[in-house]
């Protein structure tokens, strides 16, 4: 029920990795987005391919960008094969944050063998802001409806991971 941008692909090579990270840092800097590089010796990433779990365990590296306090971090986390499978929920941030995430992915595209993007707001595919706004409005209508109909639901809630849950049940 959210507005999330999913993306995955493999970078061309180490040079492409360096250029992608440099591009992301510059992109974030121009927008005053906090950015933090990271390197993890043993990461566990939950992945899905062809509707089957395809988890990764091993070293990762990349950068995490914070475009807005009401948006999930944009995490560019690459495995040892320079593969990434990620998503970022943008629905609670202003629409321009969603558009800028799409612009970042477009800027990073040339560094990938293939970059596959699925945008639940359809902005990546259409570049039509009205389509994005229609999806956002419908999302907020559904959230309001669920909150109104079930007193045990609350949301949105930022989880310790930095992800944002649209709704959670609070049975207390």
């Amino acid at each position: 029920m959210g507005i999330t941008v999913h993306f995955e692909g493999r970078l061309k090579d180490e040079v492409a990795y360096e250029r992608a990270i440099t591009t992301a840092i510059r992109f974030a800097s121009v927008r005053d987005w906090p950015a933090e590089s990271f390197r993890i010796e043993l990461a566990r990433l939950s992945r899905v391919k062809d509707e089957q779990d395809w988890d990764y365990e091993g070293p990762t590296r990349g950068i995490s960008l914070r475009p807005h306090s009401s948006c999930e971090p944009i995490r560019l986390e690459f495995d040892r094969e320079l593969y990434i499978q990620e998503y970022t929920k943008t629905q609670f941030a202003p629409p321009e944050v969603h558009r800028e995430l799409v612009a970042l992915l477009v800027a990073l595209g040339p560094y990938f063998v293939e970059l596959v993007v699925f945008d639940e707001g359809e902005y990546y595919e259409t570049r039509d802001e009205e389509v994005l706004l229609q999806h956002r409005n419908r999302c907020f209508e559904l959230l309001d409806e669920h909150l109104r109909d079930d007193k045990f639901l609350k949301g949105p809630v930022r989880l310790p991971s930095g992800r944002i849950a649209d709704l959670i049940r609070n049975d207390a």
Side-chain angles (χ1 to χ4, degrees), residues 38-106:
F38 60 87
R39 188 175 290 270
I40 302 170
E41 291 303 316
L42 183 59
R44 289 177 181 81
L45 304 177
S46 298
R47 293 177 169 169
V48 176
K49 188 168 190 133
D50 299 325
E51 299 183 29
Q52 299 292 317
D53 288 342
W54 175 61
D55 297 340
Y56 170 82
E57 188 171 301
T60 62
R61 59 191 164 140
I63 191 165
S64 180
L65 311 174
R66 302 282 301 182
H68 192 275
S69 61
S70 296
C71 178
E72 291 182 340
I74 301 170
R75 192 158 173 93
L76 302 176
E77 184 169 14
F78 297 93
D79 68 17
R80 73 170 67 88
E81 303 296 323
L82 300 176
Y83 186 81
I84 186 173
Q85 185 180 69
E86 267 300 338
Y87 63 92
T88 302
K89 185 180 294 189
T90 64
Q91 74 200 42
F92 300 109
E96 53 268 14
V97 173
H98 189 97
R99 292 192 314 267
E100 289 178 336
L101 169 55
V102 167
L104 173 62
L105 293 174
V106 169

Side-chain angles (χ1 to χ4, degrees), residues 113-171:
V113 173
E114 178 182 31
L115 177 63
V116 177
V117 178
F118 172 67
D119 179 354
E120 294 175 1
E122 294 186 73
Y123 185 76
Y124 182 85
E125 298 83 358
T126 66
R127 301 301 198 280
D128 186 334
E129 186 169 355
E130 190 56 39
V131 171
L132 172 61
L133 294 176
Q134 287 172 3
H135 282 287
R136 284 173 51 90
N137 290 341
R138 181 65 184 138
C139 179
F140 289 128
E141 288 171 7
L142 289 171
L143 285 172
D144 288 345
E145 183 179 310
H146 286 295
L147 289 168
R148 186 178 54 250
D149 293 346
D150 187 337
K151 68 179 181 175
F152 294 109
L153 291 177
K154 69 177 186 174
V157 175
R158 183 166 301 273
L159 304 174
S161 65
R163 297 290 184 190
I164 301 172
D166 295 342
L167 298 168
I168 63 169
R169 182 162 294 282
N170 184 12
D171 293 322

Side-chain angles (χ1 to χ4, degrees), residues 8-12 109 111-116:
E8 67 180 291
R10 185 177 320 281
L11 292 169
K12 293 177 181 176
Y111 306 118
F112 283 82
V113 173
E114 178 182 31
L115 177 63
V116 177

